Amino acid sequence: MADYFSEMGWRELADELNSLNGEKLPPPASKASVEALIDEKITQDGHQCPVCLKDFLTGDVVKIMPCKHKFHPECLLPWLSKTNSCPLCRYELPTDDEDYEAWKKEKKRAKERETDIENLHNSMFS
Ligand SMILES: [Zn+2]
Ligand SMILES: [Zn+2]
């Protein structure tokens, strides 16, 4: 009976959920990074919120991501409490999740190593 849950394959289920996303789903944006987002008052028409697809109205106060994309605060903030990237271009805000930040650094290092090897290869064979 003790093994009932393990027999149900909870592990596999978790693995399956992870693989659905291709890789780890990024954690929420850090509180500090969300608080640091710039507010802007809309002064001219013609822009649309990419989340709810409604036009911004003159006088609306919107949130601007570091990637310059603008959103209604009520559209952006719930999103950033789930995951850390811009809904439009996937620009990533810092997170409070140490594991994720470490993983991201490791990924970047791996990429740099790849580039180093490539450069080495090029310098030897060109
Ligand atoms: Zn919106
Ligand atoms: Zn963006």
Side-chain angles (χ1 to χ4, degrees):
M1 196 60 196
D3 278 330
Y4 179 74
F5 283 113
S6 49
E7 271 170 30
M8 288 293 285
W10 289 112
R11 273 239 131 243
E12 278 95 303
L13 183 68
D15 287 348
E16 202 174 306
L17 283 175
N18 278 338
S19 64
L20 280 180
N21 291 307
E23 46 186 48
K24 237 170 147 180
L25 184 69
S30 75
K31 273 204 177 70
S33 68
V34 172
E35 275 163 19
L37 293 178
I38 303 160
D39 291 325
E40 191 184 81
K41 205 170 197 165
I42 297 294
T43 52
Q44 58 187 155
D45 301 335
H47 288 285
Q48 202 180 48
C49 173
V51 176
C52 65
L53 302 180
K54 283 187 195 129
D55 289 336
F56 294 130
L57 303 171
T58 310
D60 275 358
V61 176
V62 298
K63 289 275 179 203
I64 305 180
M65 290 280 285
C67 55
K68 306 284 183 236
H69 288 125
K70 299 174 187 179
F71 303 90
H72 292 119
E74 66 269 28
C75 294
L76 183 63
L77 299 182
W79 177 276
L80 290 179
S81 70
K82 287 200 192 75
T83 188
N84 70 333
S85 59
C86 171
L88 205 58
C89 71
R90 308 271 159 219
Y91 176 95
E92 286 189 46
L93 292 174
T95 72
D96 285 327
D97 189 311
E98 281 173 29
D99 286 346
Y100 177 70
E101 292 299 318
W103 173 79
K104 212 165 67 172
K105 246 183 237 156
E106 185 50 48
K107 204 170 97 170
K108 195 171 157 231
R109 257 206 301 271
K111 214 185 172 90
E112 278 166 5
R113 256 198 308 267
E114 239 168 63
T115 318
D116 282 351
I117 292 167
E118 223 166 84
N119 288 342
L120 188 68
H121 186 274
N122 288 343
S123 68
M124 283 198 307
F125 293 96
S126 59

